[in-house]
Amino acid sequence: GFLKWTWRLTYLSAIGGTIYIGWGIYQGRTPPAQYDPDPSKKTLVVLGTGWGAVSLLKKLDTENYNVIVVSPRNYFLFTPLLPSCTTGTIEHRSIMEPIRSFLRHKKAAVKYYEAECTKIDYENKMIYINDESEIKGSTSATEVPFDMLVVGVGAENATFGIPGVREHGCFLKEVPDAQKIRKRIMDCVETATFKDQSPDEVKRLLHMVVVGGGPTGVEFAGELQDFFENDLRKWIPEISNNFHVTLVEALPNVLPMFSKNLIEYTEQTFKEETIDIRTKTMVKRVEEKYIEAEYTDASGKKVLEKIPYGLLVWATGNALKPVVKDLMSQIPAQKDSRRGLAVNEYLVVKGTENIWAVGDCAIANYAPTAQVASQEGAFLARLLNQMAKTDSIETELAELSNVQEKAASKDLRDEAFGKIKDLQKRLRRVKSIGPFEYSHQGSLAYIGSEKAVADISWLTGNLATGGQLTYFFWRSAYLSMCFSTRNRILVIMDWAKTQVFGRDVSRE
Ligand code: FAD
Ligand code: NAI
């Protein structure tokens, strides 16, 4: 009896699950009709299609504004899995979500321009945009006026003005970066095995150097070592003795935002994976075939060392985008802000009334992470929805006061008075939205050989764990955070493909 019921329940849940997923897919593919935007409403311009901007757009009631989105990238990118794209563990399209299909599901239509905002003119409430793509029409540069503006353009890669970084290094921020790295890894390997290559050159070509021991550098180093252990050395055994990954970090340890025991665990795991960690080593110059790094030797003397490399991945954190820097220069209240747009507790750019900033370009005393950006975006959506409600209630109130004044009888006056009282109550409720408060869910990072580290905030305090179990947690957490069901299914399929067939070592 018990077994029969278990079977029945399993059967029913499988049918239920299939119907649920099927319905989700059907809805995703058949967007309903959309309202046209109302021209009498305010124009809200959103810059960017990253974590901050998209989480805002997800929750924004677009029928309240004329919404215009401007971004050079017509897709959302799930950055936490980008390091996996550099080795083909995951294909990049699996973590991209087209902004077009997403916006097509909003209640009121949203305009999207694939362009880069080159200047924000704060005084004249105008942005200037450029089509930076390969194909240009008769217009490729124009301007867009706004009433309200949300800046979510993210950040640039920091180079600290170190010469040679842009020319010779690879960054890891966007899809083309991951594609470039994937190609270069294979190019280095194939060139190293070219006929009559000198032993020194083979060593150099197979030396993969990662600069920056933050989570980007650590995750990439782990993925690269996995690629070598699981695939490369199998298909190209002659590189086995020379393929080597080195992580260079200026500070005394990697992953400074994690707990001490997880830092130790990561460093120990890297040792076992034979990834070299060079801490307290600061890169000063980058040449085509080597970097120059400074470290302090045992006697306390500063030594400048040349480290030859085949592939150089530069992951030393964020810097300001020029468009943000320019905006800051127009606003006196931003004079003392260095790292980004200073915002108040409602994410309003300080010194302005109609500009908000979310994510990596905003400085609100939190780390520049996807977690922060998405919470800020969701908060701002709530705020903007409330503001629209406030506006409409205030208009209604003005009309009712008029009615009350001009009412012919006491009954009509009382009726209007009653309505005004109700509306005033509603207005107070709507206006009572509190300031933005970030709730930290924890930090997670993959460190290679199917191990991850996690600093998680529980009700009871903090939990710091590392290892294989954490790796399964890492996988399920990131899977659940993926943008759509489609992304989730594609990522699962990529993981399964890598498990069964291994990673693809073709160079394209
Ligand atoms: P972004 O997501 O970078 O989006 C910026 C958007 O603005 C893009 O759409 C861009 O095309 C657009 N844009 C750029 N310039 C302009 C312009 N001039 N005009 C208009 N639009 C413009 N955080 C975590 O919390 N967990 C993680 O596991 C994690 N992993 C990461 C892994 C990698 C490899 C990287 C690079 C970052 C990772 N982060 C992670 C950090 C996280 O991705 C960022 O903090 C987050 O993307 C910031 O969101 P954002 O909206 O500010 O910027
Ligand atoms: P980061 O700012 O976290 O780390 C950069 C590291 O580079 C620093 O430790 C710095 O000391 C080092 N560095 C700087 N200049 C150097 C030099 N010349 N030579 C040697 N080392 C040098 O940058 P990262 O990793 O790119 O991350 C950016 C943001 O994205 C962070 O806020 C991070 O938390 C977030 N992120 C989060 C992830 C996660 O939670 N799993 C994954 C990736 C990024």
Side-chain angles (χ1 to χ4, degrees):
F2 176 71
L3 211 65
K4 209 157 114 192
W5 270 106
T6 314
W7 265 115
R8 275 187 192 160
L9 270 176
T10 316
Y11 193 60
L12 277 175
S13 2
I15 293 177
T18 313
I19 292 174
Y20 179 73
I21 292 174
W23 176 241
I25 293 173
Y26 171 78
Q27 274 194 319
R29 295 205 60 185
T30 42
Q34 272 181 317
Y35 297 117
D36 281 336
D38 174 352
S40 69
K41 301 242 156 110
K42 284 186 179 155
T43 299
L44 169 66
V45 173
V46 179
L47 300 181
T49 46
W51 277 98
V54 165
S55 89
L56 158 80
L57 290 162
K58 235 181 189 173
K59 295 224 156 70
L60 184 74
D61 296 337
T62 53
E63 59 274 32
N64 292 330
Y65 300 98
N66 291 309
V67 186
I68 299 176
V69 178
V70 175
S71 172
R73 194 177 83 185
N74 79 344
Y75 55 87
F76 167 77
L77 176 66
F78 186 75
T79 47
L81 290 177
L82 191 63
S84 302
C85 299
T86 57
T87 57
T89 310
I90 289 176
E91 297 297 337
H92 59 270
R93 283 199 178 261
S94 306
I95 55 166
M96 289 157 62
E97 186 68 20
I99 204 69
R100 289 287 184 181
S101 52
F102 161 67
L103 291 179
R104 183 59 188 82
H105 281 86
K106 297 303 294 182
K107 243 189 188 160
V110 172
K111 275 220 168 66
Y112 167 71
Y113 300 129
E114 191 193 71
E116 193 161 314
C117 170
T118 50
K119 186 176 174 66
I120 300 165
D121 182 346
Y122 164 60
E123 281 280 305
N124 298 307
K125 295 189 183 172
M126 187 77 79
I127 61 159
Y128 293 84
I129 65 171
N130 256 8
D131 175 3
E132 302 279 353
S133 67
E134 265 173 46
I135 295 178
K136 308 257 191 304
S138 57
T139 309
S140 58
T142 185
E143 55 205 42
V144 181
F146 65 84
D147 297 307
M148 300 155 92
L149 178 72
V150 177
V151 188
V153 295
E156 247 182 35
N157 293 291
T159 65
F160 307 103
I162 296 171
V165 176
R166 280 190 196 283
E167 293 87 329
H168 310 298
C170 297
F171 297 117
L172 180 50
K173 207 172 195 42
E174 299 285 347
V175 167
D177 299 333
Q179 287 173 301
K180 184 169 157 189
I181 294 173
R182 190 172 175 185
K183 211 165 163 174
R184 278 212 184 169
I185 298 169
M186 286 322 298
D187 204 355
C188 284
V189 170
E190 296 298 358
T191 310
T193 52
F194 191 75
K195 187 167 179 292
D196 302 334
Q197 203 65 273
S198 76
D200 276 352
E201 195 61 353
V202 171
K203 250 199 165 80
R204 175 185 76 81
L205 286 163
L206 294 176
H207 190 204
M208 312 278 145
V209 174
V210 185
V211 181
T216 306
V218 165
E219 290 194 325
F220 170 69
E223 292 277 354
L224 184 53
Q225 188 67 25
D226 281 0
F227 186 29
F228 170 65
E229 289 298 338
N230 304 339
D231 306 281
L232 286 173
R233 72 182 317 160
K234 201 184 292 171
W235 308 124
I236 315 154
E238 60 265 45
I239 65 166
S240 292
N241 291 332
N242 288 310
F243 191 96
H244 195 71
V245 181
T246 301
L247 181 65
V248 183
E249 167 57 54
L251 297 175
N253 56 266
V254 297
L255 294 181
M257 67 287 291
F258 281 82
S259 344
K260 198 165 165 277
N261 58 335
L262 290 183
I263 292 173
E264 278 163 15
Y265 180 77
T266 306
E267 293 183 347
Q268 184 55 36
T269 306
F270 269 24
K271 212 182 245 167
E272 285 159 18
E273 290 169 0
T274 68
I275 297 173
D276 249 342
I277 300 188
R278 299 280 309 265
T279 49
K280 297 190 203 158
T281 308
M282 166 93 85
V283 178
K284 296 274 187 177
R285 199 154 69 93
V286 174
E287 291 290 338
E288 192 191 343
K289 296 184 177 178
Y290 64 88
I291 53 171
E292 256 178 28
E294 188 182 82
Y295 69 96
T296 312
D297 72 4
S299 64
K301 215 175 80 205
K302 286 210 156 69
V303 184
L304 206 59
E305 185 191 357
K306 280 187 183 166
I307 305 174
Y309 68 83
L311 171 80
L312 175 72
V313 171
W314 192 267
T316 61
N318 292 344
L320 273 180
K321 282 207 172 262
V323 66
V324 174
K325 215 185 272 179
D326 178 74
L327 175 62
M328 287 164 68
S329 72
Q330 298 168 42
I331 305 164
Q334 296 287 330
K335 188 171 96 262
D336 297 327
S337 184
R338 292 277 165 274
R339 289 172 303 123
L341 288 162
V343 293
N344 72 10
E345 67 275 30
Y346 289 90
L347 307 180
V348 179
V349 172
K350 284 185 181 160
T352 76
E353 281 137 32
N354 55 344
I355 305 186
W356 291 260
V358 289
D360 286 2
C361 65
I363 298 303
N365 288 331
Y366 307 111
T369 64
Q371 216 180 131
V372 171
S374 65
Q375 288 185 29
E376 288 177 343
F379 167 83
L380 196 52
R382 242 180 346 129
L383 188 79
L384 295 175
N385 291 343
Q386 304 281 45
M387 278 168 66
K389 268 191 214 151
T390 312
D391 277 356
S392 85
I393 296 175
E394 277 170 350
T395 319
E396 223 178 308
L397 268 174
E399 278 164 14
L400 274 172
S401 313
N402 228 349
V403 169
Q404 195 194 13
E405 260 174 39
K406 291 185 183 141
S409 69
K410 184 174 178 300
D411 279 356
L412 283 175
R413 247 193 326 272
D414 284 352
E415 194 188 331
F417 182 71
K419 279 187 187 160
I420 287 175
K421 275 262 168 256
D422 284 350
L423 276 180
Q424 278 171 338
K425 222 192 271 166
R426 247 181 76 200
L427 190 63
R428 271 199 299 278
R429 222 177 25 240
V430 164
K431 275 190 165 170
S432 70
I433 183 164
F436 172 68
E437 267 173 49
Y438 170 62
S439 137
H440 186 63
Q441 308 294 308
S443 305
L444 273 170
Y446 180 61
I447 58 170
S449 60
E450 305 202 338
K451 287 177 185 155
V453 286
D455 257 327
I456 309 158
S457 326
W458 293 107
L459 290 174
T460 48
N462 273 357
L463 178 73
T465 84
Q468 238 158 357
L469 228 111
T470 315
Y471 168 66
F472 291 114
F473 174 70
W474 174 85
R475 275 199 161 183
S476 37
Y478 280 4
L479 205 56
S480 72
M481 282 183 245
C482 274
F483 188 87
S484 61
T485 308
R486 189 185 71 94
N487 283 163
R488 260 171 232 126
I489 292 173
L490 291 177
V491 167
I492 291 174
M493 288 192 330
D494 286 345
W495 278 337
K497 193 178 73 183
T498 300
Q499 204 72 36
V500 176
F501 301 107
R503 297 170 188 82
D504 184 344
V505 296
S506 1
R507 184 178 70 84
E508 257 326 314

